[in-house]
Amino acid sequence: MNLARHSLVLGIALGLLAACGGESHPTPAPAPSTDAPATGIATTGEGQAADAPTHAFTTTEVARFDAPWAMTFLPDGRLLVTEMAGTLKLYDPATDTTATVAGVPEVMHVAQGGLGDVVLHPDFDGNRLVYISFVEAGDGGLMGAAVARARLVEDQAGGAALEDLEVIWRQVPKKSGDGHFGYRIAFDDDGMLWISSSERKAFDPAQDMTGNLGKIVRLNEDGSVPDGNPFADQGGVAAQVWSLGHRNILGMAFDAKGRLWAHEMGPKGGDELNLIEKGENYGYPVVSNGNHYDDTPIPDHDTRPELRAPIITWTPVISPAGFIIYDGDLFPRWRGSGFIGGLSSMSLVRVQFQDAGAREAERFDMGRRIREVEQGPDGAIWLLEDGTREGKGWLLRLEPESA
Ligand SMILES: [Ca+2]
Ligand SMILES: [Ca+2]
């Protein structure tokens, strides 16, 4: 590999028990011998088929960023990386060089937000369009998530800038709190734009159709409302909404069948993986398998069967952030698996899907808060470590142990 200057092989994790909970460990698990059979893979359902052997991998520290939040690969293998305080970086792993992208709008940097997600338009090769999400200040200290798109322009001297930036979506209403923006962005195979709009730590907005908080919205690429949304008859921002009753969604991914999966941070307990379906209500804050932080009970999902229950529920929580469904070649036995980063669990969680079901298949102890997950062009898995303090904020590359 071409990262020799930064190649610090940290260890190998293999087959940690799914049941190990959210415990953190200061160092990765010891390396098993490479030909050892996969062991210790827990199942969470009954009658599951035995797992295929899993992969051993190495973790390499590639580069550091300042409170990185999200990343996306350009077709040429370079990476756009967002930093929460409002900087967009363009990093080239081949040369270990970083440029700062000019033209990012001023963001409001608060506890859980600032500059957020970055994704490419599906036809980026043709139009160079990049989508970013960020926290936008309003009047009187209010704030809310916004999504903008712009063209990524580069010059001969290695400079890069966002040009023709336009804000195409906003959270309604703006709120005073500094948490639960969500603001994950994803495109589906039909070119529709999906945004997770979290409930701003305000609970009831997730059930209020006069706002778009606590919802997943579906838009055209220019932010306009497409035909076919389930609440179009209600007009206003309700016309944007695809599903409601969500808390804090920091990861969405489409599977090979085109189905949308989203994980969601529960309150005290009750993190969720949901299969997102048109017009469905996922229950928050009416029901949750967790409870409020002050221990006020929230009825569990099984008390209200008309509200959509999660496919997976985690207590203790994993604090999910970042989400891919892997389809690369480097880890062939992981094709079709979901990979979810864990903040408080300091882990990478592998999820296997079956028909309409899913279950946690493995949990890799990374010993760090994992904020973001991406698949590289060659099939390696890349992670961003949360954090600003000395020694944190690493871009990490995972590849098979034998590579
Ligand atoms: Ca990403
Ligand atoms: Ca509960």
Side-chain angles (χ1 to χ4, degrees), residues 287-291 297-301:
V287 290
S288 168
N289 288 356
N291 294 318
I298 306 173
D300 287 353
H301 270 279

Side-chain angles (χ1 to χ4, degrees), residues 48-393:
Q48 304 284 356
D51 287 281
T54 186
H55 288 284
F57 60 84
T58 59
T59 302
T60 303
E61 291 180 336
V62 175
R64 273 192 67 203
F65 295 89
D66 184 17
W69 202 90
M71 60 181 162
T72 198
F73 279 91
L74 301 187
D76 63 12
R78 292 180 298 163
L79 269 165
L80 287 168
V81 180
T82 62
E83 297 178 328
M84 286 182 72
T87 307
L88 180 62
K89 296 282 180 65
L90 180 54
Y91 176 72
D92 187 350
T95 58
D96 187 36
T97 53
T98 305
T100 296
V101 180
V104 174
E106 188 169 338
V107 309
M108 191 161 180
H109 181 205
V110 292
Q112 293 185 6
L115 185 57
D117 209 359
V118 56
V119 305
L120 305 184
H121 186 283
D123 185 30
F124 175 83
D125 274 334
N127 60 27
R128 301 287 291 179
L129 283 175
V130 171
Y131 289 68
I132 57 172
S133 61
F134 57 99
V135 178
E136 177 188 64
D139 295 334
L142 303 181
M143 63 194 103
V147 170
R149 70 172 181 176
R151 280 188 308 118
L152 179 65
V153 176
E154 297 184 71
D155 61 33
Q156 301 272 339
L162 297 182
E163 294 187 356
D164 305 326
L165 183 132
E166 53 176 338
V167 174
I168 60 165
W169 177 84
R170 291 184 160 96
Q171 280 189 321
V172 178
K174 286 184 164 60
K175 305 287 267 185
S176 59
D178 61 5
H180 296 190
F181 299 95
Y183 62 18
R184 278 287 178 189
I185 310 167
F187 280 95
D188 66 20
D189 286 342
D190 297 323
M192 289 292 163
L193 171 65
W194 299 74
I195 303 168
S196 72
S197 175
S198 298
E199 45 67 271
R200 301 291 283 103
K201 238 173 175 173
F203 316 113
D204 295 337
Q207 297 291 328
D208 179 359
M209 295 301 286
T210 66
N212 59 16
L213 308 181
K215 317 292 192 312
I216 291 176
V217 306
R218 173 182 175 263
L219 304 171
N220 292 316
E221 63 172 61
D222 63 357
S224 62
V225 174
D227 292 336
N229 276 3
F231 303 104
D233 291 352
Q234 298 184 27
V237 292
Q240 304 172 352
V241 173
W242 188 260
S243 62
L244 66 147
H246 297 293
R247 187 172 179 271
N248 192 19
I249 296 177
L250 299 182
M252 297 191 291
F254 289 92
D255 67 18
K257 297 174 182 168
R259 299 178 303 182
L260 176 59
W261 297 84
H263 57 62
E264 180 167 325
M265 293 234 191
K268 192 170 181 179
D271 285 353
E272 300 183 350
L273 178 69
N274 288 303
L275 177 58
I276 303 303
E277 296 190 282
K278 181 178 181 177
E280 293 291 340
N281 184 340
Y282 290 78
Y284 196 74
V286 180
V287 290
S288 168
N289 288 356
N291 294 318
H292 289 296
Y293 285 112
D294 65 2
D295 290 322
T296 305
I298 306 173
D300 287 353
H301 270 279
D302 60 9
T303 63
R304 293 290 295 271
E306 76 277 22
L307 302 171
R308 262 311 159 94
I311 304 296
I312 299 178
T313 179
W314 284 278
T315 303
V317 298
I318 59 171
S319 305
F323 191 10
I324 59 165
I325 296 176
Y326 185 81
D327 64 359
D329 296 326
L330 267 191
F331 297 103
R333 290 190 291 273
W334 286 350
R335 267 186 223 129
S337 283
F339 286 86
I340 298 172
L343 290 167
S344 68
S345 58
M346 296 192 175
S347 64
L348 181 65
V349 174
R350 183 168 75 89
V351 167
Q352 277 190 330
F353 301 97
Q354 313 111 318
D355 300 325
R359 65 191 181 85
E360 179 174 337
E362 284 179 280
R363 185 179 303 192
F364 302 105
D365 181 358
M366 302 306 295
R368 1 172 156 225
R369 291 165 55 85
I370 303 302
R371 167 64 68 185
E372 165 75 323
V373 187
E374 275 297 331
Q375 179 183 318
D378 66 351
I381 293 175
W382 296 68
L383 309 177
L384 283 173
E385 179 192 13
D386 190 47
T388 56
R389 283 179 296 156
E390 189 62 31
K392 300 194 185 299

